[in-house]
Amino acid sequence: MLLTNEVRRPVAAHGGTRRPAAPAAAPPLAPGALPGLGHAPALLRDPLGFLGSLSRHGGVVRIRLGPRTVCVVTDARLVHTLLVALAHDCPRGAVQDTLRTAFGDGLLMSEGRAHRDRRRIVQPAFGPDRMAGYLAVMHQVTEERAGRWRPGQVLDVAKEMNHLALEIVTRALFDARLSEAATLAFHRALPDLVKGQIVQSLYPHPAFARLPLPVNRRFDAAVRVLNRVVDQAVDGAPRPGGPATVWDAVPAGGVGSPAGGCPFGGAASGPRATGQDGTLPGLLRAATDPATGRPLTEADVRSEAITMFGAGTETVSTTLTWLIDELLRHPRMEARVLAELDEHLPAGTVPTPEALARLTYTRCVMQEVVRLHAPNAFLMRTARAPVELGPYRIPAGTELLYSFTALHRDPLLHPDPLRFRPGRWREGGAAAGAGREAFLPFGAGKHKCIGEAFAWAELTVAAAAILRRWRPTAVPGARAREVVWTTVQAQGLRVRLTPRDGGRAGATAATTASASAARTAAVPRPGPPAHPVLPSPGPAGRRVPDDLHGATARHADWALQHGLLTRVDLPRYQAYALPELIGHAYPRAHGAELGLLVDVLGWFTILDDRFDGPPGRHPAEARAVVHPLLAVLAGDAPPPAPGDAPLLHCWRELWRRQCHAMSPAWRERAAAEWRACLQTFLAESAHRAGRTFPGLPETVRLRRHASCLYPFMNILERVHGFDAPARLHAEPALHRLRAHTADAATLINDLYSLEREERQPAAAFNTVLTLQRVRGCTRTQAAGTVRARIAQLREESDTLRRGLLLRHPAGHWYLNGTMELVEGVQAWTSTTRRYLGADARPDDAPSGGGRTGGSRPGGGQRGAEWPGAEWLSADRRG
């Protein structure tokens, strides 16, 4: 349940000492309870502020939530007593019981002897002897992920850190790689899991959890998704009988159904865990239950796995997001951290435990982030027997709630608590001397987080790798804000990336290859998952920000001078940041080539917007626009249609600039593919006029060419300065790779454009919408099939690329460029205001969505389950 969504604010504004309570007395009742509702409105309105304010009334304070009474423990010493001395008499409460019902008695949910025995089994996985290996994996995973980012890219930090933390846990503890579909499904399922966990813990009777209420259905669906993701990591394959997604061949790609036939198709990076492989599942399978003497069951293994996924991702990713936000606010502190990294952890070296121990200032910064932004908003215990908590008498059955966030922001423990001040953690500082009760980010007692050392190391290693490579700059109006569930999340932070001086950012061969390997290994395949590394594409000119900025400014002047845009249109058009797509997709383009790419993309977008109007519904008007453009490709100079002279004049200039110094073979190929692209406007207009809808094969063909991906692949050669080898162009495998590239980029676009295109007054040629119509499936099922297809296309593209590389090493720059093109489309569509902001309305101008539109991937669907999505044939060569 989303409790609040607001900017950081004080949670404890009181001063002086707390009011003493009488010995063995009942805790006082907090003022302000409303009839029938109690304190629930205040808690829902501002949970952190409300919980922090209670300490002025006593060390334990009663609150009413409807008919229920809950005791809130506000004194740090009493919280420590609750977690340590009273741990046996006050086991974990209703919130954790909900997860126990869903996932079994894992380490996070179990109590008593069962918890002690299971902790002893799991503990070796987090022993000091394992840490060096974990550090190497953490470093490698972060370098790979940061290497896929591009200069100028706008990053959704919380989302990216979520994916990073999940990948680290999966690789380090399970030696596995999750598919992209599984990763997205995991993160989409978490909110429904947390909402259901909170709501069900407040039900007056457990039977309410079995009612077919929407929140219960979403919770159950989230549990199923998380179990499938965990199965993939534990076993390297889906469970028998799990849902399958089949995307039959589109012959241009030579595609079969995905291995395993599951949208969560992914494989462990080694053989199935057996107990001798050193992974957490292997450790668990090799152990015996001390209570029974029998091996642990597969249900036990999955329970522990889900514990590690849940505990090891969201809290770490949230802390990394807050770290970046705080360093943006405090650049001098960032400079000190970087200087310490340069001194004790030289660039390019794999971190060691000894090196991390020397990062004293960095550790202070990490501690201050965790103090100010403690991930756990509140947790609960239940007194199963009468207990005394300091001077208070707690009856059996009482629910006890405590908030680490409120404790860490208590001004009596941490003066000036809302100020970010790492110096308080230096030896002898106020925070360092406040006692162990004043700082409990990982809990205390027998339930203290078993992965504390792992988490501190992960935070430090990931931050070091990211900060060395990139200098983030906050996007105006997109700073982190607190969103409180059971955890305090950081949402909304978006940063623009700039390479560090001397860093390794940019599209180097190493980062390109590692991105390909990381993505490819996420899809199941027979045999070992090792992949040859693509050779270097040559010196990659790292994008200088002013280079792209200059091209952007020149493009705006060009569009105004040629009459493509008016000054009224320009601000909204520029907000779409079209040049950033070029910056992501063509990292080696500079000068005239960069300007050409930006101008072609802008021209095509404005042309596409033209067909959101009458030409998109009236074939005669469509022909009047398109035929003169086609004539230019044949060398003619026809008169323009009324009102379309700027489009035609600009097209003549752009075609001349594209062809300059290129070979006749290139011109012939480029002209043919531009014709195929432009003719899709005529086909779409005819369908709309006749109120007909294309089937799936025709949709695939139309979308493949309408996206303009083939012409932009040709411009790769224009950027490089000469044609790719003729023998490479003659390869059938290259035709399949080009079709896969166009299809993958187009389908990514279709997912992002879904919400916008659903609002278009005219029929949109979107693959998700076509699937819904021709298969009679739901929006969620159709989007899930498209996501699975994208993952399949990327995996098969990597295979095709490696084979072509072995036969045509001289064309490595072209082969790598096809991958960068797809990655660039995804990077831009996920951030542009053209599709994500308030401008994404069908009546906006300029607006396009019919072919290059976008919105959030999948429109917010959860899951990717749809059996039997069969695909009919399409043209082989694309």
Side-chain angles (χ1 to χ4, degrees), residues 411-481:
L412 297 181
L413 301 174
H414 305 283
D416 197 6
L418 296 184
R419 181 182 174 192
F420 185 77
R421 191 160 57 85
R424 71 174 83 229
W425 295 100
R426 295 175 189 168
E427 186 175 356
R436 59 182 179 176
E437 298 91 351
F439 187 57
L440 302 170
F442 295 92
K446 65 179 184 178
H447 289 296
K448 185 177 182 180
C449 177
I450 197 171
E452 178 178 6
F454 184 97
W456 283 121
E458 182 180 356
L459 290 169
T460 306
V461 172
I466 292 169
L467 295 174
R468 280 189 181 286
R469 184 184 290 263
W470 297 105
R471 177 183 292 107
T473 303
V475 174
R479 302 306 295 263
R481 66 184 186 278

Side-chain angles (χ1 to χ4, degrees), residues 18 51-52 54-55 58-61 71-88 90-92 374 376-381 387-392 394 400-410 413 435-448:
R18 297 183 176 90
L51 294 174
L54 296 177
S55 61
V60 180
V61 182
C71 285
V72 180
V73 187
T74 67
D75 186 281
R77 292 168 297 176
L78 297 184
V79 170
H80 190 269
T81 299
L82 175 67
L83 301 182
V84 180
L86 298 179
H88 177 75
C90 298
R92 285 178 278 204
N376 292 310
F378 60 87
L379 296 168
M380 296 184 75
R381 293 288 187 269
V387 296
E388 289 190 2
L389 192 54
Y392 304 102
I394 309 296
L400 297 139
L401 182 149
Y402 56 97
S403 169
F404 288 144
T405 309
L407 292 179
H408 292 171
R409 297 182 184 181
D410 188 335
L413 301 174
R436 59 182 179 176
E437 298 91 351
F439 187 57
L440 302 170
F442 295 92
K446 65 179 184 178
H447 289 296
K448 185 177 182 180

Side-chain angles (χ1 to χ4, degrees), residues 56-351:
R56 72 187 68 179
H57 305 295
V60 180
V61 182
R62 286 180 296 138
I63 64 172
R64 289 182 179 147
L65 303 176
R68 301 169 61 181
T69 297
V70 175
C71 285
V72 180
V73 187
T74 67
D75 186 281
R77 292 168 297 176
L78 297 184
V79 170
H80 190 269
T81 299
L82 175 67
L83 301 182
V84 180
L86 298 179
H88 177 75
D89 292 324
C90 298
R92 285 178 278 204
V95 175
Q96 284 87 347
D97 287 342
T98 302
L99 293 183
R100 180 184 294 112
T101 302
F103 299 116
D105 286 321
L107 192 62
L108 184 64
M109 285 73 78
S110 59
E111 291 287 348
R113 179 178 176 179
H115 177 270
R116 181 194 64 198
D117 292 343
R118 191 62 60 83
R119 190 176 182 98
R120 288 174 178 172
I121 293 172
V122 175
Q123 186 69 60
F126 297 95
D129 58 317
R130 300 283 187 107
M131 190 53 64
Y134 290 154
L135 292 177
V137 175
M138 295 169 185
H139 177 72
Q140 179 184 0
V141 171
T142 311
E143 287 287 343
E144 289 175 0
R145 190 153 200 97
R148 295 198 288 269
W149 304 340
R150 292 290 180 264
Q153 178 179 347
V154 175
L155 206 67
D156 183 330
V157 179
K159 178 181 177 181
E160 196 68 19
M161 295 304 103
N162 276 333
H163 286 253
L164 173 62
L166 179 61
E167 190 172 357
I168 287 175
V169 168
T170 307
R171 298 260 297 266
L173 296 181
F174 298 88
D175 191 25
R177 295 177 188 263
L178 293 177
S179 68
E180 182 179 356
T183 301
L184 292 173
F186 179 87
H187 292 301
R188 287 175 179 146
L190 279 180
D192 284 334
L193 183 78
V194 174
K195 291 177 186 178
Q197 178 190 9
I198 298 173
V199 172
Q200 292 186 15
S201 70
L202 297 176
Y203 285 152
H205 191 277
F208 279 75
R210 296 191 291 273
L211 296 177
L213 301 174
V215 66
N216 292 340
R217 291 199 303 269
R218 289 192 293 267
F219 176 82
D220 293 340
V223 170
R224 290 193 296 271
V225 168
L226 294 182
N227 273 320
R228 283 197 300 272
V229 173
V230 169
D231 286 343
Q232 183 188 129
V234 170
D235 299 332
R239 282 182 289 181
T245 297
V246 180
W247 189 308
D248 282 354
V250 175
V255 187
S257 61
C262 176
F264 291 94
S269 58
R272 176 186 169 91
T274 63
Q276 305 299 323
D277 58 7
T279 65
L280 179 62
L283 184 70
L284 294 168
R285 289 180 174 124
T288 57
D289 188 335
T292 64
R294 293 193 294 267
L296 299 183
T297 66
E298 285 301 301
D300 293 329
V301 175
R302 283 197 297 274
S303 292
E304 298 309 333
I306 197 68
T307 296
M308 298 307 158
F309 274 101
T313 55
E314 187 177 14
T315 54
V316 170
S317 65
T318 297
T319 302
L320 282 171
T321 303
W322 282 122
L323 170 68
I324 293 174
D325 187 71
E326 292 293 353
L327 293 181
L328 287 172
R329 300 175 191 272
H330 303 91
R332 292 185 180 179
M333 296 178 188
E334 180 188 43
R336 287 192 61 180
V337 169
L338 287 168
E340 187 174 70
L341 292 175
D342 288 340
E343 181 179 359
H344 299 297
L345 195 62
T349 60
V350 176

